[in-house]
Amino acid sequence: MTTQYKQVFGRPESLKDVATHFCPGCHHGTIHRLCAEAMDALDIQQRTIGVASVGCSVFLYGYFDIDVVEAPHGRAPAVATGVKRVRKDDVVFTYQGDGDLAAIGTAEIIHAANRGEAITVIFVNNTTYGMTGGQMAPTTLPQQRTSTSPTGRDVANDGYPIRMAELLAGLEGVAYSTRVAVDSPQHIIAAGKAIHHAFDCQVKSGGFSFVEVLSTCPTNWGMDALKANARVASEMIPYFPLGVFKDAACAEEGA
Amino acid sequence: MMTNNKIEIDETYCKGCALCTIACPHGLIEMDVTLNSLGYIPAMITPANLAKCTACALCARTCPDTAITVFKSVSGSKTERS
């Protein structure tokens, strides 16, 4: 008897069938897939426009089977604002790292959020500048060694890491703000639901939705993939707690 | 229990990060001993371990490179048929 199989898990349609340039164990690939799964589930692939940032996530157009605009460093929320305002029926999202969103693009993200632009922002926080060589970012943890803080981040001199999800949740214009991680199957499933909800927020109620995803950077942390993955739970989550910090407009919709 | 489920690990996508080995609740996935075309040591599953796979797909959900495809047998388990 020939065994009949049913595929229960595979590559989402919105993700191109190509290998990524990400380092082994980097969570970017997982987060890309979760975004693509949300697009498939909501059936919005044909009307989704991505806005790529500068950093390791710069090749968004090579990995997602959707239209993508490349923004100047940190300016993805400003570019997304323009795209969304002229194409109101399309779903617009930005995908930014912490060096892009929390440092160079701090002004753009805060004002786009405060204006309540109907966009979705996927914020990948790996506590360092990945592509440029592991420099200290605003999200770098206290005492964390980076190429520009070789003796560890000194909070007396450099301040404390910024908790973006909490900061943006305090703004009136924000409909949904959450922080998730992708270091375990349980967290990945929860992160998938959060990203799905964020896109759904935009589709249903047209609010500004923000998902911060804690991620690894094994190469710049100087760790192998498994140790880097373990660091998310041991060091990052204690400082960057997971949770939903605001879910205003979406809750009213009964989503 | 023996099962007929199947996972396929695409060697050309696997970068050998080993995250799937800790995701599998039964510890069925191991690392291979030879390099793949990318120069990484890919993940693999032995036929003996594959027979214990429940097709929960947690390995595939964890894989950052979407290298794993999971198939569930729809014609019943070997135990049920015998």
Side-chain angles (χ1 to χ4, degrees):
Chain A
M1 179 183 161
T2 318
T3 310
Q4 300 288 312
Y5 290 108
K6 181 186 162 206
Q7 185 177 315
V8 291
F9 194 91
R11 180 175 289 271
E13 261 184 45
S14 304
L15 206 59
K16 285 182 186 166
D17 195 5
V18 292
T20 63
H21 74 292
F22 302 125
C23 303
C26 172
H27 284 168
H28 263 305
T30 312
I31 303 163
H32 273 42
R33 200 195 65 240
L34 295 177
C35 292
E37 283 173 357
M39 289 170 209
D40 283 6
L42 292 165
D43 196 21
I44 53 171
Q45 182 192 4
Q46 296 303 322
R47 58 185 182 109
T48 298
I49 301 172
V51 182
S53 64
V54 172
C56 290
S57 54
V58 74
F59 295 124
L60 219 61
Y61 51 83
Y63 303 142
F64 282 97
D65 196 5
I66 57 169
D67 291 328
V68 174
V69 184
E70 182 59 55
H73 207 347
R75 274 71 200 185
V79 173
T81 297
V83 173
K84 182 71 183 186
R85 286 190 179 195
V86 294
R87 299 187 67 93
K88 290 187 170 53
D89 293 333
D90 286 347
V91 179
V92 180
F93 80 104
T94 74
Y95 186 106
Q96 306 172 258
D98 47 356
D100 187 89
L101 183 141
I104 296 138
T106 322
E108 279 73 17
I109 187 63
I110 286 180
H111 289 290
N114 195 45
R115 291 191 304 268
E117 299 293 343
I119 58 171
T120 298
V121 175
I122 308 296
F123 169 47
V124 180
N125 177 0
N126 61 8
T127 74
T128 190
Y129 278 79
M131 183 189 70
T132 49
Q135 290 85 356
M136 185 174 69
T139 45
T140 296
L141 292 172
Q143 299 309 313
Q144 182 183 335
R145 292 182 180 200
T146 69
S147 59
T148 50
S149 60
T151 56
R153 179 177 184 149
D154 176 8
V155 293
N157 197 46
D158 308 319
Y160 282 89
I162 301 179
R163 295 185 181 99
M164 287 306 296
E166 288 92 326
L167 189 149
L168 294 180
L171 299 174
E172 280 301 318
V174 175
Y176 180 57
S177 177
T178 185
R179 182 182 293 114
V180 294
V182 288
D183 62 323
S184 67
Q186 184 193 5
H187 283 160
I188 290 170
I189 291 167
K193 285 180 183 164
I195 290 173
H196 181 280
H197 185 58
F199 277 100
D200 202 28
C201 256
Q202 182 183 161
V203 173
K204 282 195 180 146
S205 54
F208 178 93
S209 47
F210 182 84
V211 183
E212 175 172 345
V213 190
L214 301 183
S215 167
T216 57
C217 185
T219 301
N220 286 305
W221 292 356
M223 296 176 181
D224 66 33
L226 292 177
K227 280 189 186 140
N229 192 64
R231 179 180 182 254
V232 173
S234 65
E235 292 181 34
M236 288 180 76
I237 293 176
Y239 189 89
F240 294 111
L242 307 183
V244 178
F245 302 103
K246 191 171 184 186
D247 193 359
C250 308
E252 288 167 20
E253 294 276 317
Chain B
M1 190 184 87
M2 298 282 281
T3 66
N4 258 338
N5 302 320
K6 188 168 75 168
I7 67 164
E8 283 174 2
I9 303 174
D10 189 337
E11 262 202 36
T12 57
Y13 281 82
C14 180
K15 292 174 186 158
C17 70
L19 291 181
C20 54
T21 63
I22 57 166
C24 178
H26 304 290
L28 302 178
I29 303 178
E30 301 160 20
M31 300 314 285
D32 212 334
V33 287
T34 49
L35 300 174
N36 65 7
S37 60
L38 297 170
Y40 297 119
I41 292 178
M44 55 89 78
I45 184 163
T46 61
N49 279 351
L50 193 58
K52 299 178 201 162
C53 176
T54 61
C56 69
L58 293 184
C59 56
R61 285 184 190 281
T62 304
C63 177
D65 297 291
T66 325
I68 305 178
T69 312
V70 183
F71 300 90
K72 196 168 182 68
S73 160
V74 288
S75 49
S77 71
K78 282 173 184 166
T79 323
E80 283 161 9
R81 279 211 312 275
S82 58

